[in-house]
Amino acid sequence: MTVTFRRTRFLAALAALPLLITACAGAPEARERIATAAGFPVEASGCGFTATVAAPPERAVTMNQGATEVMLALDLSDRMVGTAYLDDAVPEKWQETYDAVPVLSKEYPDHETLLAAKPDFVYGSYASAFAAESAGTQDELADLGIGSFLSLFGCGENRPSADVSFDSVWDEIETVADVFGVPERAAALEREQQGQLDELAATKPGAGLDVFWYDSGDKTAFAGTGDGGPQLILDAVGATNVFADVEGGWADVSWEEVVAADPDVIVVADAGWSSAEEKIALLEKDPVLKSLRAVQAEAYVVLPFSETTPGVRLADGAVSVGTQLAELG
């Protein structure tokens, strides 16, 4: 069965909104400013906060890898004056443009460090980006004239402000593209990713396979469950998630439950704080876990953490899982 996704767009309505910038039409600078402001103001809403952006930002800061990579995918590195907090490596296709952006902090910069970069917009993937000890709250930033946007999937307490789907992933990318005045780039990216998903739907490389998605943990397993990025990827490749009936995107499950499921394949997330190598070593050394069929067969699929969360690389994650499953035979 081919998976299709429906999209609702509002670009025509946005284009009809009145300009907030006025100037003499005869001067070149005025004509440039009027052209830049076409289609503005734009509203960016996520997790209960709405920022009204009067013109495309020129000095953006991204506070997490997911937000950073949305900007890079939309070719907006020239509008960035800072970034922070990687989970793993930036993919090679964006490495050069990423390297041109100043890194403000290995993890979150504090409020003063952020303000020193003189941002006009801050984009974060998780609510923690806008904590008092980090960027500061979105209301505080707004009082300083700084726009902001929090990912639809990072509201905190495992509660996204949108149903997790490829469609809502594209909604977030479209919102960012609208804020920066480049909606056509979001549309092109969506077409490319929809083509990747259509190909996976046609080939179903995971058909007939029961999969345990191992994110992290040792005393218990933090597993990919039924309502997040891991489930979307496994659905895309036609595989069965052994913990699909557990609510949320990720959840702690007991090792006894993993043993009872005895999966065909284990997807292992690779992150800076919990490497794939460490998790595979745990599986292979534990006297009970090493008896799992997937461990006996070394049927592992390894995926960067940044390709497991709802975001611009989720389709890449689906393609990678599909390719690795096909290679396992």
Side-chain angles (χ1 to χ4, degrees):
M1 179 177 68
T2 300
V3 180
T4 58
F5 300 93
R6 296 189 297 272
R7 305 282 285 146
T8 302
R9 300 190 177 281
F10 301 95
L11 301 182
L14 288 174
L17 290 172
L19 300 181
L20 295 188
I21 298 174
T22 58
C24 174
E29 289 185 5
R31 286 198 299 271
E32 183 177 347
R33 289 173 64 194
I34 289 172
T36 299
F40 283 80
V42 167
E43 290 189 344
S45 297
C47 302
F49 184 89
T50 297
T52 300
V53 182
E58 297 289 343
R59 299 184 60 82
V61 169
T62 53
M63 296 288 281
N64 301 96
Q65 183 162 350
T68 299
E69 291 180 345
V70 168
M71 294 288 286
L72 297 179
L74 292 172
D75 195 21
L76 290 169
S77 61
D78 60 333
R79 310 271 196 96
M80 298 170 67
V81 294
T83 186
Y85 218 140
L86 292 184
D87 299 308
D88 47 53
V90 171
E92 184 178 351
K93 61 184 175 181
W94 298 326
Q95 188 66 56
E96 185 176 351
T97 50
Y98 171 78
D99 288 343
V101 181
V103 176
L104 302 185
S105 174
K106 182 178 179 180
E107 295 185 356
Y108 289 133
D110 60 27
H111 187 61
E112 290 71 24
T113 301
L114 176 76
L115 293 184
K118 300 180 180 178
D120 55 9
F121 194 81
V122 180
Y123 176 21
S125 297
Y126 302 105
S128 52
F130 295 105
E133 62 272 20
S134 304
T137 70
Q138 290 181 274
D139 284 319
E140 289 172 338
L141 294 174
D143 289 342
L144 296 171
I146 302 170
S148 64
F149 180 58
L150 174 57
S151 169
L152 305 179
F153 312 105
C155 304
E157 299 181 2
N158 205 18
R159 297 176 182 173
S161 65
D163 291 336
V164 181
S165 66
F166 280 103
D167 204 40
S168 56
V169 166
W170 293 327
D171 283 342
E172 176 169 329
I173 296 169
E174 182 179 314
T175 295
V176 176
D178 285 349
V179 164
F180 286 86
V182 291
E184 71 288 348
R185 299 181 192 176
L189 186 61
E190 179 185 339
R191 287 193 299 271
E192 176 186 350
Q193 294 191 352
Q194 181 65 74
Q196 293 173 319
L197 296 175
D198 288 344
E199 184 173 346
L200 288 172
T203 58
K204 294 183 174 61
L209 296 175
D210 291 337
V211 178
F212 162 47
W213 193 291
Y214 185 13
D215 180 275
S216 56
D218 49 15
K219 294 181 175 60
T220 59
F222 196 53
T225 50
D227 300 313
Q231 186 64 52
L232 287 180
I233 288 177
L234 294 179
D235 285 343
V237 300
T240 298
N241 182 356
V242 297
F243 293 113
D245 59 344
V246 179
E247 292 184 358
W250 289 266
D252 284 303
V253 299
S254 70
W255 287 115
E256 289 79 8
E257 290 173 291
V258 175
V259 171
D262 197 12
D264 300 303
V265 175
I266 300 175
V267 175
V268 186
D270 192 22
W273 65 89
S274 179
S275 72
E277 184 178 59
E278 292 168 344
K279 288 189 281 284
I280 291 172
L282 183 152
L283 292 168
E284 294 182 345
K285 289 179 181 178
D286 185 276
V288 176
L289 298 177
K290 69 182 183 181
S291 67
L292 290 169
R293 289 182 299 127
V295 177
Q296 290 281 309
E298 298 184 350
Y300 305 120
V301 168
V302 176
L303 200 64
F305 175 78
S306 51
E307 291 185 2
T308 74
T309 60
V312 73
R313 287 177 64 189
L314 194 64
D316 289 341
V319 171
S320 179
V321 169
T323 299
Q324 292 181 68
L325 289 176
E327 290 171 351
L328 288 174

